[in-house]
Amino acid sequence: MSCAWLNIPHPKPNAAIQLLCLPHAGGTAALYRPWVKLLPDSIELVLVCLPGREQRCNEVMPADMRSLITLLGNAVTPILDRPWAVFGHSMGATVAHELILSLQCRNLCGPEHLFVSARKAPQFQEGGNQHQLDDDSLCQQLIQLGGTAPELLEIPELRALLLPTLRQDYRLIETSKVSSDQPLSCPITAMLGRDDPELTPDDARGWQRWTNCHFHIYEYTGNHFYLSQSPHLVVSHVVKQLGLT
């Protein structure tokens, strides 16, 4: 797929469903690359590549959620003639939710399922000022979440590469508000790590309010990045909820 927004690392033209995966703030689609070998042939993995990272490192993240969703919506529209689902981790969960709301308002084909990982339900989300923190404080935030090794953040070149993108993402997510109070017409599954410092089971369970369909919640051993610790288990639950093998 030539679209800069979407990458299919292992094409499966006969797959029953495509699974779009959105990364966390400051993160890349590499978070999901181990899934290539774990997903069955019935599910085709589609990695969403946001501006400001990997091959798009010289691009700037849109300043507001609405602009991002407009661009992303245009990118995914060509694949909506096939069944699809979407998995978003942390910030990616909010972006996934807003994407579906936007498509729903345009009467376009929605997903079979929304998976929201390590993210509070919209009614519990609050603004913040993490995008305004100094570099050292921002690095401490990353270390607390458990997604980045402390020794890596001591490398000046890596900090210079990572922190601007992280700030852009935090600004986007901390200044956005849910665009609609309409529930989705697809099931939602919420996932979280039991030791996540930013999320409680009740925060995640609040996603039930956003669907007219089935809701399920899974808790895992681990922190905010539990899915890196238990990829086999997470993928097995995704496959189960999609009713595929």
PDB file of all heavy atoms in Angstrom, residues 42-64:
ATOM      1  N   SER A  42      -6.653 -15.079   8.747  1.00  0.00           N
ATOM      2  CA  SER A  42      -7.948 -14.415   8.572  1.00  0.00           C
ATOM      3  C   SER A  42      -7.909 -12.925   8.910  1.00  0.00           C
ATOM      4  O   SER A  42      -8.876 -12.209   8.653  1.00  0.00           O
ATOM      5  CB  SER A  42      -9.000 -15.104   9.451  1.00  0.00           C
ATOM      6  OG  SER A  42      -8.591 -15.125  10.814  1.00  0.00           O
ATOM      7  N   ILE A  43      -6.776 -12.445   9.487  1.00  0.00           N
ATOM      8  CA  ILE A  43      -6.663 -11.034   9.889  1.00  0.00           C
ATOM      9  C   ILE A  43      -5.425 -10.418   9.249  1.00  0.00           C
ATOM     10  O   ILE A  43      -4.312 -10.904   9.435  1.00  0.00           O
ATOM     11  CB  ILE A  43      -6.585 -10.888  11.420  1.00  0.00           C
ATOM     12  CG1 ILE A  43      -7.819 -11.520  12.084  1.00  0.00           C
ATOM     13  CG2 ILE A  43      -6.468  -9.416  11.807  1.00  0.00           C
ATOM     14  CD1 ILE A  43      -7.772 -11.491  13.596  1.00  0.00           C
ATOM     15  N   GLU A  44      -5.630  -9.334   8.503  1.00  0.00           N
ATOM     16  CA  GLU A  44      -4.529  -8.615   7.875  1.00  0.00           C
ATOM     17  C   GLU A  44      -4.180  -7.383   8.716  1.00  0.00           C
ATOM     18  O   GLU A  44      -5.049  -6.548   8.991  1.00  0.00           O
ATOM     19  CB  GLU A  44      -4.911  -8.190   6.459  1.00  0.00           C
ATOM     20  CG  GLU A  44      -3.795  -7.479   5.705  1.00  0.00           C
ATOM     21  CD  GLU A  44      -4.201  -7.119   4.292  1.00  0.00           C
ATOM     22  OE1 GLU A  44      -5.143  -6.303   4.132  1.00  0.00           O
ATOM     23  OE2 GLU A  44      -3.592  -7.659   3.349  1.00  0.00           O
ATOM     24  N   LEU A  45      -2.933  -7.279   9.115  1.00  0.00           N
ATOM     25  CA  LEU A  45      -2.483  -6.183   9.954  1.00  0.00           C
ATOM     26  C   LEU A  45      -2.206  -4.941   9.107  1.00  0.00           C
ATOM     27  O   LEU A  45      -1.467  -4.995   8.115  1.00  0.00           O
ATOM     28  CB  LEU A  45      -1.212  -6.590  10.704  1.00  0.00           C
ATOM     29  CG  LEU A  45      -0.631  -5.582  11.694  1.00  0.00           C
ATOM     30  CD1 LEU A  45      -1.585  -5.357  12.860  1.00  0.00           C
ATOM     31  CD2 LEU A  45       0.731  -6.062  12.201  1.00  0.00           C
ATOM     32  N   VAL A  46      -2.806  -3.818   9.498  1.00  0.00           N
ATOM     33  CA  VAL A  46      -2.586  -2.539   8.825  1.00  0.00           C
ATOM     34  C   VAL A  46      -2.044  -1.556   9.865  1.00  0.00           C
ATOM     35  O   VAL A  46      -2.737  -1.222  10.825  1.00  0.00           O
ATOM     36  CB  VAL A  46      -3.880  -1.981   8.209  1.00  0.00           C
ATOM     37  CG1 VAL A  46      -3.603  -0.657   7.500  1.00  0.00           C
ATOM     38  CG2 VAL A  46      -4.492  -2.986   7.232  1.00  0.00           C
ATOM     39  N   LEU A  47      -0.813  -1.131   9.693  1.00  0.00           N
ATOM     40  CA  LEU A  47      -0.174  -0.228  10.640  1.00  0.00           C
ATOM     41  C   LEU A  47      -0.435   1.215  10.224  1.00  0.00           C
ATOM     42  O   LEU A  47      -0.189   1.603   9.078  1.00  0.00           O
ATOM     43  CB  LEU A  47       1.331  -0.489  10.689  1.00  0.00           C
ATOM     44  CG  LEU A  47       1.741  -1.926  11.056  1.00  0.00           C
ATOM     45  CD1 LEU A  47       3.261  -2.056  11.036  1.00  0.00           C
ATOM     46  CD2 LEU A  47       1.185  -2.317  12.415  1.00  0.00           C
ATOM     47  N   VAL A  48      -0.935   2.012  11.151  1.00  0.00           N
ATOM     48  CA  VAL A  48      -1.195   3.419  10.882  1.00  0.00           C
ATOM     49  C   VAL A  48       0.058   4.218  11.255  1.00  0.00           C
ATOM     50  O   VAL A  48       0.521   4.175  12.399  1.00  0.00           O
ATOM     51  CB  VAL A  48      -2.405   3.922  11.682  1.00  0.00           C
ATOM     52  CG1 VAL A  48      -2.609   5.421  11.442  1.00  0.00           C
ATOM     53  CG2 VAL A  48      -3.664   3.146  11.280  1.00  0.00           C
ATOM     54  N   CYS A  49       0.610   4.912  10.269  1.00  0.00           N
ATOM     55  CA  CYS A  49       1.833   5.684  10.462  1.00  0.00           C
ATOM     56  C   CYS A  49       1.474   7.170  10.575  1.00  0.00           C
ATOM     57  O   CYS A  49       1.119   7.806   9.577  1.00  0.00           O
ATOM     58  CB  CYS A  49       2.777   5.462   9.287  1.00  0.00           C
ATOM     59  SG  CYS A  49       3.173   3.718   8.980  1.00  0.00           S
ATOM     60  N   LEU A  50       1.541   7.703  11.766  1.00  0.00           N
ATOM     61  CA  LEU A  50       1.184   9.097  11.991  1.00  0.00           C
ATOM     62  C   LEU A  50       2.350  10.023  11.644  1.00  0.00           C
ATOM     63  O   LEU A  50       3.514   9.602  11.665  1.00  0.00           O
ATOM     64  CB  LEU A  50       0.773   9.301  13.450  1.00  0.00           C
ATOM     65  CG  LEU A  50      -0.460   8.518  13.919  1.00  0.00           C
ATOM     66  CD1 LEU A  50      -0.695   8.769  15.409  1.00  0.00           C
ATOM     67  CD2 LEU A  50      -1.696   8.895  13.111  1.00  0.00           C
ATOM     68  N   PRO A  51       2.071  11.297  11.347  1.00  0.00           N
ATOM     69  CA  PRO A  51       3.149  12.244  11.059  1.00  0.00           C
ATOM     70  C   PRO A  51       4.095  12.389  12.243  1.00  0.00           C
ATOM     71  O   PRO A  51       3.711  12.239  13.400  1.00  0.00           O
ATOM     72  CB  PRO A  51       2.397  13.562  10.805  1.00  0.00           C
ATOM     73  CG  PRO A  51       1.017  13.145  10.397  1.00  0.00           C
ATOM     74  CD  PRO A  51       0.735  11.899  11.183  1.00  0.00           C
ATOM     75  N   GLY A  52       5.373  12.668  11.923  1.00  0.00           N
ATOM     76  CA  GLY A  52       6.356  12.938  12.960  1.00  0.00           C
ATOM     77  C   GLY A  52       7.154  11.743  13.421  1.00  0.00           C
ATOM     78  O   GLY A  52       7.934  11.854  14.366  1.00  0.00           O
ATOM     79  N   ARG A  53       7.006  10.600  12.747  1.00  0.00           N
ATOM     80  CA  ARG A  53       7.724   9.397  13.170  1.00  0.00           C
ATOM     81  C   ARG A  53       8.073   8.525  11.964  1.00  0.00           C
ATOM     82  O   ARG A  53       7.474   8.637  10.913  1.00  0.00           O
ATOM     83  CB  ARG A  53       6.910   8.610  14.197  1.00  0.00           C
ATOM     84  CG  ARG A  53       5.568   8.104  13.712  1.00  0.00           C
ATOM     85  CD  ARG A  53       4.550   8.101  14.819  1.00  0.00           C
ATOM     86  NE  ARG A  53       4.023   9.432  15.003  1.00  0.00           N
ATOM     87  CZ  ARG A  53       3.501   9.890  16.143  1.00  0.00           C
ATOM     88  NH1 ARG A  53       3.443   9.116  17.214  1.00  0.00           N
ATOM     89  NH2 ARG A  53       3.035  11.116  16.225  1.00  0.00           N
ATOM     90  N   GLU A  54       9.059   7.661  12.176  1.00  0.00           N
ATOM     91  CA  GLU A  54       9.537   6.727  11.164  1.00  0.00           C
ATOM     92  C   GLU A  54       9.754   7.452   9.835  1.00  0.00           C
ATOM     93  O   GLU A  54      10.416   8.489   9.783  1.00  0.00           O
ATOM     94  CB  GLU A  54       8.575   5.548  11.048  1.00  0.00           C
ATOM     95  CG  GLU A  54       8.530   4.699  12.316  1.00  0.00           C
ATOM     96  CD  GLU A  54       7.715   3.434  12.175  1.00  0.00           C
ATOM     97  OE1 GLU A  54       6.592   3.515  11.648  1.00  0.00           O
ATOM     98  OE2 GLU A  54       8.204   2.373  12.595  1.00  0.00           O
ATOM     99  N   GLN A  55       9.196   6.918   8.743  1.00  0.00           N
ATOM    100  CA  GLN A  55       9.431   7.518   7.429  1.00  0.00           C
ATOM    101  C   GLN A  55       8.777   8.884   7.274  1.00  0.00           C
ATOM    102  O   GLN A  55       9.030   9.593   6.305  1.00  0.00           O
ATOM    103  CB  GLN A  55       8.942   6.584   6.310  1.00  0.00           C
ATOM    104  CG  GLN A  55       7.435   6.443   6.188  1.00  0.00           C
ATOM    105  CD  GLN A  55       6.883   5.310   7.035  1.00  0.00           C
ATOM    106  OE1 GLN A  55       7.514   4.896   8.013  1.00  0.00           O
ATOM    107  NE2 GLN A  55       5.729   4.780   6.632  1.00  0.00           N
ATOM    108  N   ARG A  56       7.966   9.274   8.268  1.00  0.00           N
ATOM    109  CA  ARG A  56       7.298  10.580   8.229  1.00  0.00           C
ATOM    110  C   ARG A  56       7.876  11.518   9.300  1.00  0.00           C
ATOM    111  O   ARG A  56       7.196  12.430   9.764  1.00  0.00           O
ATOM    112  CB  ARG A  56       5.797  10.408   8.422  1.00  0.00           C
ATOM    113  CG  ARG A  56       5.165   9.410   7.459  1.00  0.00           C
ATOM    114  CD  ARG A  56       3.652   9.381   7.597  1.00  0.00           C
ATOM    115  NE  ARG A  56       3.057  10.625   7.118  1.00  0.00           N
ATOM    116  CZ  ARG A  56       1.766  10.922   7.254  1.00  0.00           C
ATOM    117  NH1 ARG A  56       0.940  10.059   7.860  1.00  0.00           N
ATOM    118  NH2 ARG A  56       1.283  12.062   6.793  1.00  0.00           N
ATOM    119  N   CYS A  57       9.120  11.297   9.670  1.00  0.00           N
ATOM    120  CA  CYS A  57       9.723  12.026  10.790  1.00  0.00           C
ATOM    121  C   CYS A  57       9.843  13.522  10.511  1.00  0.00           C
ATOM    122  O   CYS A  57       9.941  14.321  11.463  1.00  0.00           O
ATOM    123  CB  CYS A  57      11.070  11.435  11.155  1.00  0.00           C
ATOM    124  SG  CYS A  57      12.304  11.507   9.832  1.00  0.00           S
ATOM    125  N   ASN A  58       9.870  13.926   9.257  1.00  0.00           N
ATOM    126  CA  ASN A  58       9.988  15.346   8.937  1.00  0.00           C
ATOM    127  C   ASN A  58       8.643  16.047   8.822  1.00  0.00           C
ATOM    128  O   ASN A  58       8.589  17.252   8.545  1.00  0.00           O
ATOM    129  CB  ASN A  58      10.773  15.521   7.629  1.00  0.00           C
ATOM    130  CG  ASN A  58      12.230  15.096   7.752  1.00  0.00           C
ATOM    131  OD1 ASN A  58      12.838  15.305   8.796  1.00  0.00           O
ATOM    132  ND2 ASN A  58      12.759  14.499   6.712  1.00  0.00           N
ATOM    133  N   GLU A  59       7.558  15.309   9.024  1.00  0.00           N
ATOM    134  CA  GLU A  59       6.230  15.899   8.947  1.00  0.00           C
ATOM    135  C   GLU A  59       5.752  16.310  10.344  1.00  0.00           C
ATOM    136  O   GLU A  59       6.096  15.684  11.342  1.00  0.00           O
ATOM    137  CB  GLU A  59       5.244  14.899   8.334  1.00  0.00           C
ATOM    138  CG  GLU A  59       5.611  14.478   6.916  1.00  0.00           C
ATOM    139  CD  GLU A  59       4.592  13.511   6.331  1.00  0.00           C
ATOM    140  OE1 GLU A  59       3.379  13.707   6.548  1.00  0.00           O
ATOM    141  OE2 GLU A  59       5.013  12.553   5.664  1.00  0.00           O
ATOM    142  N   VAL A  60       4.953  17.341  10.397  1.00  0.00           N
ATOM    143  CA  VAL A  60       4.446  17.863  11.666  1.00  0.00           C
ATOM    144  C   VAL A  60       3.042  17.317  11.923  1.00  0.00           C
ATOM    145  O   VAL A  60       2.199  17.282  11.020  1.00  0.00           O
ATOM    146  CB  VAL A  60       4.419  19.404  11.646  1.00  0.00           C
ATOM    147  CG1 VAL A  60       3.830  19.952  12.944  1.00  0.00           C
ATOM    148  CG2 VAL A  60       5.825  19.954  11.439  1.00  0.00           C
ATOM    149  N   MET A  61       2.808  16.879  13.146  1.00  0.00           N
ATOM    150  CA  MET A  61       1.481  16.423  13.530  1.00  0.00           C
ATOM    151  C   MET A  61       0.496  17.593  13.428  1.00  0.00           C
ATOM    152  O   MET A  61       0.812  18.704  13.844  1.00  0.00           O
ATOM    153  CB  MET A  61       1.505  15.893  14.965  1.00  0.00           C
ATOM    154  CG  MET A  61       0.147  15.475  15.514  1.00  0.00           C
ATOM    155  SD  MET A  61      -0.529  14.004  14.722  1.00  0.00           S
ATOM    156  CE  MET A  61       0.311  12.720  15.689  1.00  0.00           C
ATOM    157  N   PRO A  62      -0.700  17.382  12.854  1.00  0.00           N
ATOM    158  CA  PRO A  62      -1.701  18.454  12.823  1.00  0.00           C
ATOM    159  C   PRO A  62      -1.922  19.033  14.212  1.00  0.00           C
ATOM    160  O   PRO A  62      -1.820  18.335  15.221  1.00  0.00           O
ATOM    161  CB  PRO A  62      -2.951  17.746  12.298  1.00  0.00           C
ATOM    162  CG  PRO A  62      -2.406  16.636  11.449  1.00  0.00           C
ATOM    163  CD  PRO A  62      -1.167  16.170  12.169  1.00  0.00           C
ATOM    164  N   ALA A  63      -2.240  20.310  14.249  1.00  0.00           N
ATOM    165  CA  ALA A  63      -2.328  21.023  15.523  1.00  0.00           C
ATOM    166  C   ALA A  63      -3.562  20.665  16.328  1.00  0.00           C
ATOM    167  O   ALA A  63      -3.615  20.914  17.531  1.00  0.00           O
ATOM    168  CB  ALA A  63      -2.289  22.532  15.279  1.00  0.00           C
ATOM    169  N   ASP A  64      -4.574  20.075  15.695  1.00  0.00           N
ATOM    170  CA  ASP A  64      -5.793  19.739  16.420  1.00  0.00           C
ATOM    171  C   ASP A  64      -6.340  18.404  15.938  1.00  0.00           C
ATOM    172  O   ASP A  64      -6.019  17.937  14.833  1.00  0.00           O
ATOM    173  CB  ASP A  64      -6.851  20.833  16.252  1.00  0.00           C
ATOM    174  CG  ASP A  64      -7.214  21.068  14.793  1.00  0.00           C
ATOM    175  OD1 ASP A  64      -8.094  20.371  14.276  1.00  0.00           O
ATOM    176  OD2 ASP A  64      -6.594  21.942  14.161  1.00  0.00           O
TER     177      ASP A  64
END
